[in-house]
Each structure stands twice: as structure tokens, then as C-alpha cells.
């Protein structure tokens, strides 16, 4: 898993794999290559792919994150999950991390 840090705020952010817009000023739109959005300030996942969430039911209750920081660490060091993943960490005041699957195959 690779992580890049961008010390700035984004009003718009596009998926580096599909080119789809994933962030707007007040909303997010998951691309098929987006695995999760993690908010450091709240230690929770704003978004996680349903199939990934299903693998860690002990960390979710009614779609709310339980022990989010622990799950983030678990994902970062899981050799199977972390293969071919890119985390974009951005923000000055409140930090968010978006994890993309670099192995996702874009349909032509």
C-alpha cells in the first residue's frame, strides 16, 4: 500500500483509476475503484465498499464505525488487502484518507 499526503483542501477530487469525480465540496460519489474514505478527526469511515465492510462486522454497528482507527491500521498492514492500494491523505484542518484499488480494471 502506498500513501501520498497532500497538505491542502480539495473542493473536487477525481479517482486516479477511473477518472470519475469522487469529491465535491459537500458530498462524495464512490467510484468502483474506491475502497473507503476515512475521516481522521472522527476516527470513522465515511464510506466503505459493502463487501469490505462485510469482512469486518465487529467494526460496524448500523453502518457506524466502531474502533475505526484500529480497523484502519488492520487494513494498512494486511498483506492481502494492502496489495495494489493507494491512499490519498489530504487536508489541512480535517484530514481524510481515500483508498483506491490500483488493480481495478476499467471497462472500455
Amino acid at each position: 500500500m502506498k500513501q501520498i499526503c497532500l497538505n491542502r483542501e480539495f473542493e473536487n477530487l477525481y479517482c486516479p483509476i477511473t477518472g470519475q469525480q469522487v469529491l465535491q465540496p459537500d458530498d462524495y460519489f464512490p467510484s468502483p475503484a474506491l475502497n473507503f474514505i476515512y475521516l481522521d478527526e472522527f476516527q470513522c469511515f465515511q464510506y466503505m465498499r459493502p463487501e469490505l465492510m462485510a469482512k469486518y462486522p465487529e467494526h460496524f454497528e448500523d453502518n457506524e464505525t466502531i474502533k475505526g482507527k484500529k480497523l484502519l491500521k488492520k487494513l494498512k498492514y494486511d498483506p492481502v488487502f494492502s496489495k495494489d492500494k493507494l491512499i490519498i491523505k489530504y487536508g489541512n484542518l480535517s484530514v481524510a484518507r481515500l483508498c483506491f484499488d490500483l488493480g481495478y480494471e476499467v471497462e472500455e
Side-chain angles (χ1 to χ4, degrees):
M1 181 177 298
K2 299 290 182 193
Q3 179 170 287
I4 59 171
C5 298
L6 305 172
N7 294 322
R8 60 173 292 214
E9 301 294 330
F10 286 100
E11 289 200 3
N12 297 299
L13 184 70
Y14 294 83
C15 174
I17 291 86
T18 65
Q20 296 175 346
Q21 186 172 14
V22 291
L23 290 181
Q24 284 186 352
D26 295 321
D27 208 356
Y28 68 92
F29 306 95
S31 81
L34 181 64
N35 285 303
F36 63 76
I37 300 173
Y38 180 80
L39 304 176
D40 285 39
E41 181 179 359
F42 303 106
Q43 296 184 359
C44 72
F45 290 88
Q46 182 178 17
Y47 166 78
M48 182 175 276
R49 296 187 78 188
E51 56 273 16
L52 185 56
M53 189 184 289
K55 290 182 181 182
Y56 301 97
E58 68 276 14
H59 288 280
F60 296 95
E61 187 174 294
D62 297 326
N63 290 332
E64 295 294 323
T65 308
I66 301 168
K67 298 181 183 173
K69 191 173 184 178
K70 188 174 184 177
L71 177 54
L72 179 65
K73 187 175 182 178
K74 190 183 290 188
L75 291 169
K76 284 173 71 173
Y77 295 104
D78 179 321
V80 175
F81 174 78
S82 63
K83 184 179 180 189
D84 297 329
K85 300 297 186 290
L86 170 68
I87 291 183
I88 297 177
K89 180 179 174 183
Y90 77 94
N92 290 322
L93 301 174
S94 61
V95 175
R97 301 168 200 245
L98 287 83
C99 177
F100 296 96
D101 183 352
L102 295 174
Y104 178 79
E105 303 224 0
V106 179
E107 296 178 15
E108 298 286 329

